[in-house]
Amino acid sequence: MKTKLLLTLSIFWAISGFAQFGSQQIISTATLKPYLSIPFDIDNDGFIDVLTASGETYKMSWYKNLDGQGNFGPEIIINETPVYYLSVKIVDIDSDGDNDILYLSNNASYIAWLENLDGAGNFGLEQIINQQDFMMTVTPTDIDNDGDQDLVAIVSNTFTSKIVWYENEDGQGTFSEENLLIQNTNEFTKILLEDIDNDGLLDILATDNVLHSGSIFWYKNLGNEIFGTQQIIYQFLYVQSGGTNIIEFQYVDLNTDGKMDIVMTSVDENSFIDTYWLENLDNQGNFGELQFLIDTGDQYLFYDLDNDSDNDMLLWNRFSDKISWKENENGQGTFGAPNIINAAADFASDAKAADFNGDGWLDIASASAGNNKLSWYKNNTLGISEYEFGNHQIYPNPTDGILYLESKQPIWQISLFNILGQRIETDQNTNQIDLSKAEAGVYLLKIEGENGNFQTHKILKE
């Protein structure tokens, strides 16, 4: 008879409440004009570090979280090649089990990566993958389903814009010449690879740059690196919208129904900036009417900042010097008034959420280019309802496969989050979860009862 090792894990949080953020804690002022604040466990010690880049010296660097409590060490340079980073992705390019750094450079425009040499924060020299006249975005994905990370990118010139992909030919970071996926007469501005129609294949969600009547649309993945014709999801009408164009969009579940909605930001010919969302009606590419979100011109990302199982808005604005957040008040996409995190973040260039002190709540990191500050803000949430300690037994832990749960009360839902607070999986009315496909590392398992109370436990995947 198989022996089961029962482990009741320590609780990261066992309360629900309204997120309150503490005062600014300076990580460093050594990076001049920082414009990135990317949370990333760079040295693989289980603590979330912060990666940044300078808008003056154009160096990429990182700051080590020394103790898992948010105390950071001095600046450590990663890349001294002068680069302005349009985007930075953390991904395993060479299939060796650790995360490398992939980025898109501006002026000159090229895609490059830095090899993670030892998993301890030491990276190799810049390796250029491809250089073109004008590249807008790069996305890592296994487009040919051979088990390694290929790249999908936008390449534009005076006469055309196209979406192309580069094959990771040996799984070690040796990439092919470009392979054409889609060509367009207008300039693509942004793409995301998402499974729009829920068939298990990643489709392309996109916008392009037009003078008026901006639209968001998708291309169905037909398999074998072939995509269908353009399908418009929403288009602004010039007469009604005043020459509105779409400049940003994200794919996120706003109304907590398990379907990913579209959040998009538009600008009209009078430079008025508005953000809206479109409800995903059926996971088949059909979306609802335009619903207003904000008109402040803030940049934004979505996280569950108050641990109530819905997505709130984290906002920052370099022109108003503000970092704030808005609560998803009913879990249906109705957001409250802004809650100020910092009203004096001089030229707030970036903000991200992650758990920097290991208490299970998402804190905020920010970069303020105007005063050279890289900072973080502790989530000091005050609880409003306690849940009985020790209600659950979870085994085996660590595990490389099925994780089993035993509970004194009926389990309604279990959700798995990574250490950055990103939801990986959600299951209802079950007492087990399969971790066999998850990467090795630390995870948080949130267990919700029928009465709305919950506990969160730390899980180790081998």
Side-chain angles (χ1 to χ4, degrees), residues 387-393 406-411:
Y387 197 30
E388 179 184 352
F389 181 87
N391 270 347
H392 309 121
Q393 290 181 312
E406 293 184 2
S407 176
K408 297 178 182 178
Q409 299 181 7
I411 297 174

Side-chain angles (χ1 to χ4, degrees), residues 22 76 118 151 163 234 240 257 301 340 354:
I76 304 172
D118 55 6
L151 305 177
I163 302 173
Y234 186 88
Q240 296 177 349
D257 65 353
L301 286 171
I340 301 299

Side-chain angles (χ1 to χ4, degrees), residues 238-354:
Y238 175 72
V239 174
Q240 296 177 349
S241 67
T244 297
N245 207 357
I246 298 171
I247 57 175
E248 162 67 9
F249 67 87
Q250 296 180 26
Y251 202 54
V252 60
D253 183 6
L254 282 197
N255 57 352
T256 327
D257 65 353
K259 298 189 292 291
M260 302 293 279
D261 311 301
I262 294 173
V263 177
M264 61 186 188
T265 298
S266 66
V267 60
D268 65 19
E269 60 189 6
N270 296 311
S271 299
F272 291 120
I273 300 175
D274 295 289
T275 299
Y276 307 90
W277 71 287
L278 304 169
E279 181 184 0
N280 188 335
L281 300 177
D282 55 8
N283 267 345
Q284 295 298 311
N286 298 301
F287 292 80
E289 297 297 317
L290 209 61
Q291 302 185 59
F292 176 78
L293 276 179
I294 58 173
D295 59 1
T296 58
D298 289 351
Q299 293 177 269
Y300 52 85
L301 286 171
F302 293 88
Y303 302 93
D304 184 6
L305 296 175
D306 54 2
N307 267 340
D308 62 354
S309 298
D310 56 40
N311 280 307
D312 310 300
M313 292 186 79
L314 173 63
L315 307 117
W316 65 98
N317 192 312
R318 65 188 62 189
F319 302 110
S320 67
D321 301 331
K322 285 189 176 73
I323 302 170
S324 62
W325 76 285
K326 284 191 171 192
E327 182 185 4
N328 193 338
E329 293 185 324
N330 57 3
Q332 299 298 306
T334 302
F335 290 85
N339 305 287
I340 301 299
I341 298 172
N342 185 353
D346 191 359
F347 206 79
S349 302
D350 193 24
K352 298 287 189 295

Side-chain angles (χ1 to χ4, degrees), residues 15 45 70 137 154-155 160 171 173 220 229 243 258 281 292 346:
I15 54 178
D45 63 356
T137 186
I154 297 173
V155 177
T160 187
K220 178 176 173 59
T229 57
L281 300 177
F292 176 78
D346 191 359

Side-chain angles (χ1 to χ4, degrees), residues 89 139-141 143 152 190-206 216-222 227 231 233 249-253 258-263 280 283-285 287 423:
K89 311 284 187 182
T139 303
T141 186
I143 195 168
V152 175
K190 182 176 180 178
I191 61 171
L192 290 178
L193 298 175
E194 304 287 351
D195 185 4
I196 303 295
D197 53 358
N198 202 34
D199 64 354
L201 299 175
L202 292 177
D203 311 298
I204 296 176
L205 183 64
I216 188 165
F217 44 87
W218 69 291
Y219 301 93
K220 178 176 173 59
N221 190 335
L222 303 175
F227 289 81
Q231 301 183 53
I233 294 172
F249 67 87
Q250 296 180 26
Y251 202 54
V252 60
D253 183 6
K259 298 189 292 291
M260 302 293 279
D261 311 301
I262 294 173
V263 177
N280 188 335
N283 267 345
Q284 295 298 311
F287 292 80
R423 191 191 302 265

